[in-house]
Amino acid sequence: MHPLLASRARLGAYLLGWVPIALLLAGIARSQGWSWAEAGTLAPPLCLLAAFLFLSAWFLCRALPLGRRVETLGSHGAAWGLAAVLMGGIWAGLAWLLARALAWIPGLGALPRRVDIALPVLTGLGILLYLASVALSYLMLAQDRAVEAERRGAELQLLAQESELKALRAQLNPHFLFNSLNSLSALTAVDPARAREMCVLLSDFLRRSLGLGERRLVPLREELDLARAYLAIEQIRFGARLTLDWRIDPAADPALLPTLLLQPLVENAIKHGIAALPEGGTLVVAAEAAEGHVTLRVENPADLDVPTPQGLGLGLRQVRQRLLGRFGNRARFEAGVQNGIHRVTLVFPLETEP
Amino acid sequence: MKALIIDDEDLARAVVREHLAAHPDVEVAAECANGFEALKAVALHQPDLIFLDIQMPKLDGFEVLELLEAEGKRPAVVFVTAYDQHALRAFEAHAVDYLLKPFSKERFDTALAKARAQQAAHPAVPAPAASELAAAARQGKPLERVVVKDGPKVTVVHLDHLDWVQAQDDYVLLRTEGRNLLKQQTLASLETQLDSSRFIRIHRSYILNLDRLVRVEQDSKEHRDAILRDGTRLPVSRAGYQRLRELWEGD
């Protein structure tokens, strides 16, 4: 379907655009000695015919999309020229027929003769008008493409965000699960009561993480609960190697943040901090609220033998993207090693559920 | 039969210990919480069998195995790991056995039986090198660090700190932070493990960390030198120069 025919407003604007052309045509006819009646009767229907006839340019343009290469411009040019000559000829032919039809009206008897003389001019004019509508068609196609690209971009972004969340959920990492189950298997023999406790902790963690993955934004409180459930399990695995230090300001609890933003940070802290050090260390999770902003911090000892990474790992990059994607330049993300401590700091506006 | 249990988690060691308790002929000579302890304990106890975790601090299981091999010691190895099947498939044909955490008593006994069988069939079929196992488990991802054992001392060289490598017969000389380290490995085999976008073979005998390169100078028609940040000059062969140019033009 032609886009101009699909929308009444567009069609109206297009037809309105033909009015000055009709006036121009009538003006030219007058200058050639036509009477007002002759010029005024022929020009409007002729232009109306052209308006619909030349819409066909759009289909040609759609079939021959504009590329960057010069060769295509050459072959397209031939097609445009041929179509323009054809359409100009048809239009002139219609003018010839129209003139003969109108000649029945009293006072317009001279019209066929006048049109016969003007046929070459009409053909030329038709060619020019057709070429103009080719240009217009390409403009419309380009605009449509831009709109389409924008829509597709937005769709893709949405899709990417969703699959990212799914990936995050899947990331709840199988090694962690198998290691935990292995600890559980060890505990069943040496300490059945703690084995049961670990079962409960694992179930609690799994239930929470599954529930969270469905939502886009959650209050910090829930993210912290998930981290607590996770770290309680890691505490059993790592024993004395892991010390936990929670510094949570209750005022920060209701702050909304993208789902599963904290979880990769604590997982990283365990994987690259505690697990990489034979003696382990202290993991700090701190949240403060002040002046409408929340500062969330995760700290862990870093292995000093490992060179400081130059970029961010995939996990941290994702956290940063999601934080900035949600809050834009109202949020801040910092990560780095200082004095043997790896620290990730997130600062974002304190927004709560209505 | 003497065995070592090597795992950084107490509870994980406890599971192995518990299962071994049913086999009174196997003596647990020591338990180790990391790779360095493991190397010392192997030297001290000369075990017949080790239960080896893969993910450990400082030295991972493959690196421990590689260093043991360099010393000519190769006890039977049973990997005990939470690694997924996918990575394990790569080397399942080669290790004595592996136990995926968590495992059953039956599965553990099977692994132990295989280890016994291998010991009985001594000398065993030459196993593939630990570095090959590690490469298979990494699934084509480049190496992040190189381990070198010099007598009792183990050095872990992170590749950010590796300036260049020189071939010396069956050894490679690793230049890192002003020091030279010798490792028993061929330059060609090391080259296959390194990230080819960061480490370039500039000469038959040299691999260079691209990050250290300042410029290439042409001395004579046939002879080029690479000038490094610290002023070192290394020869660049014609083929090496070609590789450098491909990399530059690829950018």
Side-chain angles (χ1 to χ4, degrees):
Chain A
M1 181 76 171
H2 196 288
L4 283 181
L5 297 178
S7 144
R8 211 171 268 191
R10 273 180 153 189
L11 185 64
Y14 172 71
L15 290 180
L16 217 61
W18 276 92
V19 171
I21 298 172
L23 290 176
L24 189 73
L25 194 64
I28 296 171
R30 276 288 294 161
S31 71
Q32 297 301 311
W34 292 32
S35 72
W36 273 116
E38 288 162 343
T41 321
L42 189 71
L46 203 54
C47 282
L48 197 66
L49 277 172
F52 286 99
L53 192 63
F54 294 170
L55 280 180
S56 65
W58 185 81
F59 297 99
L60 180 77
C61 294
R62 198 181 54 174
L64 303 174
L66 278 187
R68 274 192 202 152
R69 301 234 307 273
V70 182
E71 306 91 85
T72 58
L73 215 64
S75 64
H76 287 184
W80 301 329
L82 206 68
V85 169
L86 194 69
M87 286 300 172
I90 290 176
W91 189 52
L94 286 172
W96 185 86
L97 279 175
L98 197 62
R100 265 144 194 84
L102 290 174
W104 292 102
I105 300 173
L108 298 180
L111 210 49
R113 191 176 44 84
R114 291 200 188 278
V115 168
D116 287 349
I117 296 170
L119 270 182
V121 179
L122 277 171
T123 310
L125 196 65
I127 290 173
L128 282 181
L129 285 171
Y130 182 81
L131 287 177
S133 73
V134 163
L136 180 75
S137 298
Y138 275 120
L139 274 177
M140 283 193 307
L141 281 170
Q143 197 203 0
D144 284 357
R145 246 208 317 272
V147 170
E148 174 71 6
E150 200 176 318
R151 192 184 62 76
R152 278 247 299 277
E155 222 165 61
L156 275 178
Q157 203 182 352
L158 208 71
L159 218 72
Q161 275 171 359
E162 264 162 32
S163 65
E164 206 172 78
L165 252 181
K166 270 191 201 135
L168 277 175
R169 279 177 58 192
Q171 239 178 36
L172 295 174
N173 135 9
H175 287 171
F176 158 73
L177 212 58
F178 293 132
N179 277 319
S180 303
L181 289 171
N182 194 52
S183 306
L184 188 62
S185 139
L187 284 172
T188 48
V190 294
D191 192 345
R194 285 195 80 204
R196 180 170 298 154
E197 185 196 327
M198 185 145 190
C199 262
V200 174
L201 286 171
L202 254 179
S203 312
D204 182 38
F205 172 73
L206 289 176
R207 197 167 291 123
R208 274 179 200 285
S209 68
L210 290 175
L212 274 182
E214 306 294 333
R215 290 148 66 188
R216 237 147 226 283
L217 291 173
V218 289
L220 178 60
R221 184 189 336 108
E222 290 187 42
E223 284 279 303
L224 286 169
D225 284 346
L226 180 72
R228 280 198 189 92
Y230 168 76
L231 289 172
I233 297 161
E234 295 291 44
Q235 181 74 77
I236 293 178
R237 269 182 66 204
F238 287 101
R241 279 169 74 198
L242 173 62
T243 311
L244 295 171
D245 183 358
W246 298 90
R247 303 180 196 164
I248 309 300
D249 174 0
D253 273 349
L256 290 175
L257 73 167
T259 310
L260 293 178
L261 206 62
L262 179 61
Q263 186 59 22
L265 299 184
V266 290
E267 277 181 31
N268 263 354
I270 291 287
K271 193 173 162 201
H272 301 297
I274 308 300
L277 291 166
E279 69 281 11
T282 302
L283 195 161
V284 180
V285 182
E288 286 160 29
E291 291 163 14
H293 275 80
V294 176
T295 306
L296 187 61
R297 209 169 69 235
V298 176
E299 290 177 8
N300 59 271
D303 186 352
L304 288 176
D305 294 342
V306 179
T308 312
Q310 285 172 353
L312 296 173
L314 181 66
L316 282 185
R317 223 170 33 232
Q318 268 186 348
V319 168
R320 198 179 87 116
Q321 267 170 12
R322 297 184 62 225
L323 180 77
L324 301 185
R326 165 70 184 131
F327 296 109
N329 56 13
R330 295 181 300 151
R332 215 172 69 225
F333 175 97
E334 283 165 19
V337 179
Q338 209 174 21
N339 302 326
I341 299 291
H342 184 265
R343 182 178 294 121
V344 182
T345 309
L346 313 181
V347 183
F348 52 91
L350 200 167
E351 289 170 2
T352 56
E353 257 160 337
Chain B
M1 195 174 184
K2 251 201 272 187
L4 284 186
I5 306 174
I6 305 158
D7 196 307
D8 64 324
E9 290 175 31
D10 292 341
L11 287 170
R13 293 198 300 273
V15 182
V16 177
R17 203 184 326 124
E18 186 199 325
H19 286 306
L20 277 178
H23 302 268
D25 61 317
V26 180
E27 174 208 350
V28 179
E31 291 186 18
C32 314
N34 63 61
F36 290 124
E37 281 181 22
L39 292 174
K40 276 186 219 149
V42 170
L44 185 67
H45 299 289
Q46 306 282 343
D48 309 297
L49 171 64
I50 59 176
F51 292 93
L52 184 60
D53 185 18
I54 291 174
Q55 280 183 312
M56 290 189 295
K58 300 292 182 190
L59 289 178
D60 70 27
F62 292 116
E63 288 166 338
V64 169
L65 208 57
E66 190 186 336
L67 293 171
L68 288 179
E69 250 165 37
E71 299 253 294
K73 300 191 181 83
R74 174 118 192 194
V77 178
V78 173
F79 285 111
V80 186
T81 170
Y83 261 60
D84 58 342
Q85 199 100 31
H86 194 57
L88 280 161
R89 204 174 297 132
F91 62 89
E92 66 183 326
H94 306 307
V96 170
D97 204 353
Y98 61 88
L99 293 169
L100 280 179
K101 293 174 180 173
F103 45 84
S104 67
K105 179 178 183 304
E106 289 69 33
R107 187 65 191 79
F108 181 87
D109 289 347
T110 311
L112 190 61
K114 279 197 203 171
R116 282 185 212 274
Q118 201 201 44
Q119 238 217 330
H122 211 68
V125 215
S131 56
E132 275 174 43
L133 293 185
R138 284 200 316 271
Q139 303 190 314
K141 280 190 211 133
L143 213 59
E144 281 170 16
R145 52 193 198 181
V146 183
V147 287
V148 187
K149 194 161 192 293
D150 178 19
K153 213 173 128 209
V154 174
T155 312
V156 180
V157 180
H158 286 273
L159 292 185
D160 289 351
H161 294 160
L162 183 62
D163 298 334
W164 44 268
V165 187
Q166 185 190 6
Q168 296 199 340
D169 299 324
D170 292 340
Y171 286 81
V172 282
L173 183 149
L174 306 163
R175 178 72 178 181
T176 169
E177 297 177 310
R179 286 188 302 159
N180 291 337
L181 297 166
L182 269 182
K183 180 181 164 79
Q184 190 175 16
Q185 188 176 12
T186 63
L187 194 70
S189 99
L190 182 62
E191 187 188 9
T192 60
Q193 297 174 353
L194 294 172
D195 179 354
S196 62
S197 66
R198 287 173 67 200
F199 291 90
I200 306 297
R201 181 94 172 243
I202 54 166
H203 185 270
R204 192 165 40 84
S205 310
Y206 290 95
I207 295 175
L208 172 67
N209 184 345
L210 204 62
D211 194 37
R212 304 294 191 273
L213 180 66
V214 179
R215 62 178 187 278
V216 176
E217 263 180 20
Q218 185 150 23
D219 287 5
S220 61
K221 200 175 170 207
E222 283 299 302
H223 191 247
R224 289 190 182 86
D225 273 346
I227 315 293
L228 311 194
R229 271 200 223 153
D230 62 357
T232 309
R233 300 176 84 94
L234 298 178
V236 178
S237 68
R238 196 194 289 236
Y241 186 64
Q242 193 60 39
R243 279 192 279 273
L244 282 172
R245 273 186 40 179
E246 274 166 23
L247 212 69
W248 285 328
E249 280 158 18
D251 279 348

